[in-house]
Amino acid sequence: MGSLKRAILVVLDGVGAGANPDAAAYGDEGASSLEHCAQAVGGLELPNLGRAGLGNITPILGTPPRADADGSWGRMSEQGAGKDSTTGHWEIAGLILRQPFPTYPHGFPPELIARFEAAIGRKVLGNKPASGTEIIKELGEEHLRTGYPIVYTSADSVFQIAAHQDVIPLEELYRLCQIARSLLVGEHAVGRVIARPFTGTPGHFVRTEHRRDFSLPPTGPTLLDHLQARGYAVIGLGKIEDLFAGRGLTASEHTETNRAGMEAALRWLERDFTGLLFVNLVEFDQLWGHRRDSHGYAQALREVDRWFGVVRQRLQPGDALFFTGDHGVDPTYRGTDHTREQVPLLAYGPAVRPGLDLGVRSTFADVGQTIAQAFGVEPLAAGTSFAQELGLL
């Protein structure tokens, strides 16, 4: 091991840095989450991230490039077959998905739904692709009347179950998701089953923050497994536990908002550990990107920027902080789905050599491989390390 004691890997869920080279194949040519969000709100000032080099990665109106950046920066292209959180996070951790997870543009097969209904002892509503906010508007009242859960999907490989918390309590909703997860195997092995609880009255339904994801376990070893096997701490905050099905973690906190995730990260930074603090901040995707709300997306970025200002003061010798994304969800783009984008790469901290342009990396796995090499664990199956360039060896 070189100079690295703690790696803090922060995934800004749904924050992209320009179209991936194969974006056209996904119908996402021209997507650019950060750039277009800043334009849409008339400029986005992110002074702390900007000082580290964020404006050197992609054009951000209000956060210009800096020749004197005190971090190092680059962009990473996605190799995996997909543009969802599971595919993105697995690739960051060195596991590239070669075959896409199955998707259901016409809803799930009737025989699969019939098996699910038999297993849960009740009918379901929906069974079609839909926006989560729209489908509860459409079917919420019938759900209240019948008690039947609402099943829907999206352009991603997801089986989503929406239910009013007064009709199907959270623990029961999570149980229904676990039943679905057990049925969704083989050709129907979707990336994630997602619990989508809501509250309110007809015309005023509101989704709550108690979403829970039930992912497939990773199909091969990841950075988390390699670190855990060598006795390092591997702490997951936010939906990290969900995305890796709990594997490779020594501790986790299932924070449900950006604020809770950022506060938990500050608490962990006060503690003495050696290893990886892996943080997912979900609101860019979950609250703002899908709804194409540029102002909400921009405000979430400002809040992360303020938090980073505090983190800068808390980092200790031997710390390296990496910011990246897992896919795009351009808040100005047509439709409501994720966008196939490159993601930002920002490296900062006492252990990190500043002022380096790390270029355009060919896979998200490069950041995972860098952390693996810096900690001296077994190399990942994919990725090219830049630990040497950053002075981490």
Side-chain angles (χ1 to χ4, degrees), residues 132-138 140-141 143-144 150 152 162-166 170 173 195-211 286-288 291:
T133 49
E134 292 303 315
I135 202 158
I136 60 175
K137 263 188 224 169
E138 177 194 341
E141 200 165 354
H143 163 71
L144 291 179
I150 301 167
Y152 66 104
H164 195 288
Q165 288 181 194
D166 293 343
L170 285 175
L173 175 59
R196 293 287 199 175
F198 63 98
T199 58
T201 55
H204 305 281
F205 291 128
V206 182
R207 294 205 293 191
T208 75
E209 60 196 32
H210 302 298
R211 161 190 171 153
Q286 184 172 299
L287 291 186
W288 313 119
R291 297 178 194 173

Side-chain angles (χ1 to χ4, degrees), residues 34-44 59-61 332:
L34 280 167
E35 178 183 9
H36 293 159
C37 174
Q39 290 170 352
V41 300
L44 179 56
I60 303 171
L61 184 65
T332 70

Side-chain angles (χ1 to χ4, degrees), residues 299-320:
Q299 185 56 29
L301 285 164
R302 292 186 195 103
E303 288 165 5
V304 169
D305 186 74
R306 280 197 293 273
W307 171 75
F308 179 42
V310 176
V311 170
R312 280 173 169 270
Q313 311 307 316
R314 304 278 177 93
L315 294 179
Q316 300 170 8
D319 285 352

